[in-house]
Every structure is written in C-alpha cells, then in structure tokens.
Amino acid sequence: DPERRELLLEAGYEDPDTVFRRLAEFQEVLSSRPVSSEGRNRINRLMPRLIEKIGGAEQPETVLERVLNLVRTIRRRTSYVSLLLEHPDALNHLVRLADTSAWILTFLTRHPVLLDELLDPRTLYRPPERSDLETEIRERLSAIDPDDLEQQMDVLRIFRQINTLRVAAADITDAIPLMRVSDHLSDIAETVLNEVVELAWRHLVATYGTPVCYPDTTPCERGFVVIAYGKLGGLELGYSSDLDLVFLHSGTGDDTEGGRRTIDSGSFFARLGQRVVHILTAHTSTGTLYEADMRLRPSGSSGMLVCPVDAFRTYQMEEAWTWEKQALVRARPLAGDQRLMERFQEIRREVLGQHREPALLREEIRKMRNRMRKELLRTGPGVFDLKQGAGGMVDIEFLVQYLVLRYARRHPDLLTWTDNVRLIGTLLDAGVIDETAAYFLRKAYLIYRSVGHKLSLRERPAQVDEERFRHLKQVVVENWKRYMGSGTG
C-alpha cells in the first residue's frame, strides 16, 4: 500500500515493488518449510532491522536478495539468527560485505559457521601472517583426537574457510594491496598442505611403518614432496583457484619397516598421494578443502600419481613438451621432505637451464598460445577478456615464460622466482628487457589481476569494456611482437 511504499522509499530503496516481491517469496519459504515458533519469532524481530540497514546500502535491492538467501539457509539454526539479532555490529558488517561482494555472501551462505567472524572486526579485516596461521591450525588440530581423521579434515576445512573470508573482507574493503591478497591465499594453502601431508603420513605410518628411501637407503624422514604449479606455484592464488600439484618420492623398492603390515615403498607413496588427494577433495557437510588438479604430472592423467624423483628428472630432460617446461617456470616445492625439495630445485634449474633454439621455442609457444586462445576465449564484440584477450594476462605470462626459457642458461638468476611480477624484475636486471617494457608489463599484469580479483568477488567474469585498457593492451601486444614476432591471435 502507499504507506509501506513510502516507508521503503524513505529507507533508501528505489524499487519498492521488487522489495515487496522478494519479501513475499521469503515469507512463502518460511510458511512452506517447518521453522520452530522460536525461530520464526527471532526472524520476525530480525527482518525489520535487516530491511532498515540494507536500505542504506549502495544497491539495496541486490543486497536484500543476497542477505535473504543467507537467512533462508540459517532459518532453522536459531543460534545464527540470534547472533545477527543480538550483535548490531555483526549485522552492520554483514550488510557492508553484501553490498560490496556477491562472492562473500555466497561463501557465508555455504558456510554459515563463518558468521561468528563478523563479531570481531579486528580479525575480520586483518588476515593473519604465515606464522600466526601455523600456530592457529596446530592449536585447532591439537584439540582433536589424533586418530579421528574425519574430524581433523573438518577442522582443516573450517580453518581454510575462516581465513579465506578474512582475506576477502580485507580485499574488498581495500585494507590490503593485491600482492598481499595472493600472498595470504597462498600462505593459507601452503599451511593447509603441510598439515594434510602430516596427517596422511601419520595415518599411513601407523599401519605400514616407515618407507625406505634414497640416497642412504634407511627409513626416511618423509621421502615425499608436494610441488605446486600454476597459480599456487606462482604465488598468484585466487579465491576459487584449483591447486595444480605434482607429487614426487624418493622411495626404494624395499618394504616398509616397523608397521603392523608391510608394503613396498613405492606402494606406500602411491597410497600416501591418494590419501593427500582424498583429504583435499572429499566433500562433507563442511564443504571441500580444495580442488586438486594432478594433470601436470609426468605423462598427465595416465602417469603415476606419485612419481619417483629420478623418473621425473628423466621425463623432464628427455620427453616433456615445451608447454610442460613453461609450467615448470612457475613450479615450486611446498610441503614434505626438505632434501627432496632441494633435489627438485636442482632438477628444475637443470631442465630450465638447457640450451634452446630461439626460433623453434618461439614457434612452439606461439602455437600453444593461439590454441589456448581459440579454445578458451569467449567474448562478444566490444569486450576485453582480461585473461585470454590479446594483450591480456596470459600473453604476459607466455612472453615471460619464453624469455625465461630462452635466457635462463645465460642468466641463472631468472630461475630464482616463480611469480610473474618478480620474474619481470629479474628479466630487467639481467638486461633481457628494457625499463619501459618492464614497467608496462608489470603495470598491466598487476592492474589486470587487481580488476580480475574485484570482479571475482562480485561473481562476475574477468571481462571489461574493450576501451578501458586500450593503451595497456596495445603496449603488451607491441612487446609480444617485439620478442615473439606475430601470432597473438
């Protein structure tokens, strides 16, 4: 009626009819699905406060829809409704986050346990440093029965979700810069991976004993290492990124020692890899820890899940395709045996430092880039895809990888880092590119990533109007042609 319409307009809503429709749909949900009388009373007390707070948002109708989806999820969990009812500050933070990020509200809706994080803005907008993450995860796990793997897995999932929310809240409110966003997300993943390997190792050793490893053929400390490729390897992890992983081991063919049962060491490490993947990818009521992509291992999906380290070296030196060498540029060891980490780094330097014929290298990388663009670029007229478009992020990545593969033999410092920003700096220091190229490649890459992050938090594709970055795109294309020749699509 006119009075209610006027109330909504005064509250800040521009489209009262849409608000009425969404509230009616919400009431229908409450009526059609059982809610306790206590729960209904709490929701009835919460709704006027929510409607009032949301009216002050920049896009109130959109925020109302996002928050109503959350309340639908928690309607029968009265403790969560009470949290929002009894803590006005938590309600304020919820509306603020809903106004700036569709992704955060979707995340909260999937994991309502995270609503507790809205109570303390000191932690909500300040992601912990690596050492604090390690302390936190050990404290959480120490409270769990060491034999209860399922509960330990739930603790890991909640730990990851809580800290991802903290990063996203700080990111969307510009409390931390882009480089720190990916650093924090990578720190969370690395901390989790170290604990996953530890849990998997401990549970297997309890059954089978300790495997025998090279080089001293004695029961080894670990003999297993997780190598990160892709975004995690390059310290550029996003909120929804898969983990591109490769597992290596240094086991002999001898049987394990000291367990209730024995198996050969190769089988032990195969089961260890399977257990790690299971812990990462198993889905329960608390969600999934991470999606793990193992296709970058030698011979891809048909290869061994856990590869002997010497076989990995042989494959890389004698069989690997150029695109696999490109992937190795962004690879780094994360968790497991320290000696095996060092061995991997030796192999990486040896493989990437090989002499290559520049013309052949350029041609192979151009072909792969054009093939990727053809398969993955999906845009309409007037749209620039930040990742796959000509002059976009992937062009910069492929250009950097080409220059590293071409010049690493002459400039070993190019193999120090795995992230594109530092690699661009190292290419400048080595004299491979000039200051102008380094400046614009770095600037374009950081801007594209920053805008892509913000779009991701709003659940939008990494695409913008083609005019927005016309100059940056052109500079990237010019540098591609300068170093790579034609073939940018």
Side-chain angles (χ1 to χ4, degrees):
D1 61 42
E3 184 178 354
R4 286 188 294 178
R5 187 183 304 276
E6 187 62 30
L7 278 172
L8 288 174
L9 289 170
E10 290 177 0
Y13 294 91
E14 298 177 357
D15 186 358
D17 290 338
T18 296
V19 176
F20 289 141
R21 185 169 63 253
R22 286 175 181 159
L23 291 175
E25 292 168 353
F26 177 71
Q27 286 183 310
E28 187 177 336
V29 169
L30 290 181
S31 301
S32 63
R33 300 172 186 174
V35 179
S36 68
S37 59
E38 180 185 10
R40 184 178 294 275
N41 288 336
R42 290 182 181 181
I43 290 174
N44 286 338
R45 288 164 52 206
L46 175 65
M47 289 308 298
R49 301 183 191 185
L50 270 178
I51 295 170
E52 181 181 16
K53 292 286 185 188
I54 292 170
E58 288 188 15
Q59 38 185 354
E61 287 79 12
T62 300
V63 173
L64 179 66
E65 182 177 13
R66 293 171 183 171
V67 174
L68 287 179
N69 286 336
L70 172 64
V71 179
R72 283 190 190 98
T73 299
I74 65 173
R75 67 187 183 280
R76 285 185 285 184
R77 303 165 82 167
T78 56
S79 61
Y80 293 138
V81 178
S82 296
L83 183 151
L84 297 175
L85 196 57
E86 296 167 8
H87 298 277
D89 285 344
L91 195 59
N92 291 338
H93 293 305
L94 176 64
V95 173
R96 180 188 187 190
L97 295 174
D99 198 19
T100 49
S101 174
W103 185 90
I104 290 179
L105 259 290
T106 300
F107 198 60
L108 284 168
T109 301
R110 290 175 181 162
H111 311 292
V113 68
L114 302 181
L115 287 169
D116 285 331
E117 293 299 304
L118 302 179
L119 296 174
D120 190 352
R122 294 172 300 175
T123 58
L124 178 60
Y125 301 105
R126 292 178 58 188
E129 298 299 327
R130 177 66 175 268
S131 59
D132 298 321
L133 288 170
E134 292 169 349
T135 299
E136 178 186 344
I137 198 169
R138 286 169 189 156
E139 288 177 351
R140 288 176 178 270
L141 288 170
S142 67
I144 306 300
D145 182 344
D147 295 323
D148 189 344
L149 182 59
E150 294 301 317
Q151 186 66 25
Q152 290 168 330
M153 290 165 62
D154 282 344
V155 166
L156 290 175
R157 295 186 194 102
I158 292 170
F159 167 86
R160 187 248 169 153
Q161 293 157 8
I162 286 172
N163 285 292
T164 301
L165 174 63
R166 291 169 177 167
V167 175
D171 182 11
I172 204 67
T173 55
D174 294 320
I176 54 176
L178 167 68
M179 294 289 284
R180 293 298 294 143
V181 171
S182 290
D183 285 348
H184 281 300
L185 293 174
S186 297
D187 284 345
I188 294 167
E190 290 183 41
T191 302
V192 166
L193 276 167
N194 273 284
E195 294 303 324
V196 168
V197 171
E198 179 65 25
L199 291 178
W201 173 270
R202 198 161 59 231
H203 281 272
L204 277 175
V205 167
T207 302
Y208 300 110
T210 307
V212 177
C213 303
Y214 293 111
D216 49 12
T217 62
T218 60
C220 52
E221 181 183 349
R222 283 294 181 273
F224 176 86
V225 68
V226 177
I227 310 299
Y229 280 68
K231 292 187 179 299
L232 180 55
L235 292 165
E236 296 168 1
L237 203 64
Y239 294 102
S240 304
S241 299
D242 295 347
L243 303 187
D244 293 301
L245 305 176
V246 169
F247 300 153
L248 305 178
H249 77 85
S250 58
T252 67
D254 299 318
D255 287 346
T256 55
E257 299 179 3
R260 297 192 300 271
R261 289 183 284 161
T262 61
I263 55 175
D264 68 88
S265 295
S267 298
F268 176 94
F269 286 114
R271 296 188 186 192
L272 179 61
Q274 291 166 358
R275 180 64 62 91
V276 169
V277 172
H278 169 72
I279 295 173
L280 288 173
T281 61
H283 184 80
T284 69
S285 59
T286 54
T288 300
L289 194 48
Y290 286 100
E291 293 297 330
D293 189 337
M294 310 300 299
R295 290 175 295 178
L296 285 173
R297 66 185 187 264
S299 302
S301 300
S302 63
M304 293 179 287
L305 180 63
V306 188
C307 181
V309 65
D310 290 338
F312 176 81
R313 177 192 175 278
T314 299
Y315 178 85
Q316 289 291 337
M317 293 292 291
E318 300 177 5
E319 301 179 45
W321 297 85
T322 297
W323 66 264
E324 291 176 284
K325 309 289 177 62
Q326 290 178 248
L328 196 61
V329 171
R330 290 162 63 85
R332 61 192 180 96
L334 290 192
D337 189 294
Q338 184 62 41
R339 285 191 305 182
L340 203 48
M341 288 186 184
E342 294 168 0
R343 177 63 180 138
F344 167 79
Q345 294 287 40
E346 292 172 359
I347 294 170
R348 178 176 177 271
R349 287 191 291 269
E350 182 182 11
V351 172
L352 297 182
Q354 288 179 296
H355 170 73
R356 294 177 173 86
E357 176 57 43
L360 178 60
L361 179 63
R362 273 198 305 271
E363 181 62 21
E364 290 178 343
I365 291 180
R366 282 201 303 258
K367 284 182 179 178
M368 178 55 67
R369 179 68 194 104
N370 288 329
R371 176 182 171 186
M372 180 183 290
R373 197 191 315 278
K374 184 177 180 180
E375 292 177 355
L376 300 178
L377 182 59
R378 299 286 183 271
T379 58
V383 176
F384 172 50
D385 188 293
L386 295 170
K387 295 180 180 178
Q388 296 296 338
M393 290 174 62
V394 179
D395 279 355
I396 298 172
E397 291 170 357
F398 271 53
L399 175 57
V400 168
Q401 289 159 13
Y402 162 73
L403 294 172
V404 169
L405 289 172
R406 177 173 176 179
Y407 292 103
R409 184 176 183 86
R410 192 184 309 170
H411 303 286
D413 286 350
L414 292 174
L415 303 180
T416 303
W417 304 107
T418 59
D419 64 287
N420 281 288
V421 172
R422 290 191 184 94
L423 283 171
I424 290 169
T426 311
L427 288 166
L428 171 62
D429 293 339
V432 173
I433 59 177
D434 59 35
E435 290 187 7
T436 302
Y439 171 81
F440 279 106
L441 290 174
R442 182 179 184 276
K443 180 180 180 180
Y445 197 73
L446 287 174
I447 289 176
Y448 294 161
R449 279 183 58 203
S450 179
V451 173
H453 264 291
K454 294 295 191 288
L455 289 170
S456 174
L457 285 172
R458 289 172 172 80
E459 295 188 333
R460 296 176 185 172
Q463 298 174 352
V464 298
D465 186 278
E466 67 175 356
E467 294 297 323
R468 183 170 178 183
F469 298 123
R470 177 174 290 278
H471 177 62
L472 282 179
K473 287 189 299 178
Q474 187 59 38
V475 172
V476 174
V477 170
E478 288 171 358
N479 276 283
W480 177 279
K481 291 178 178 178
R482 176 181 176 185
Y483 295 103
M484 299 289 293
S486 60
T488 58

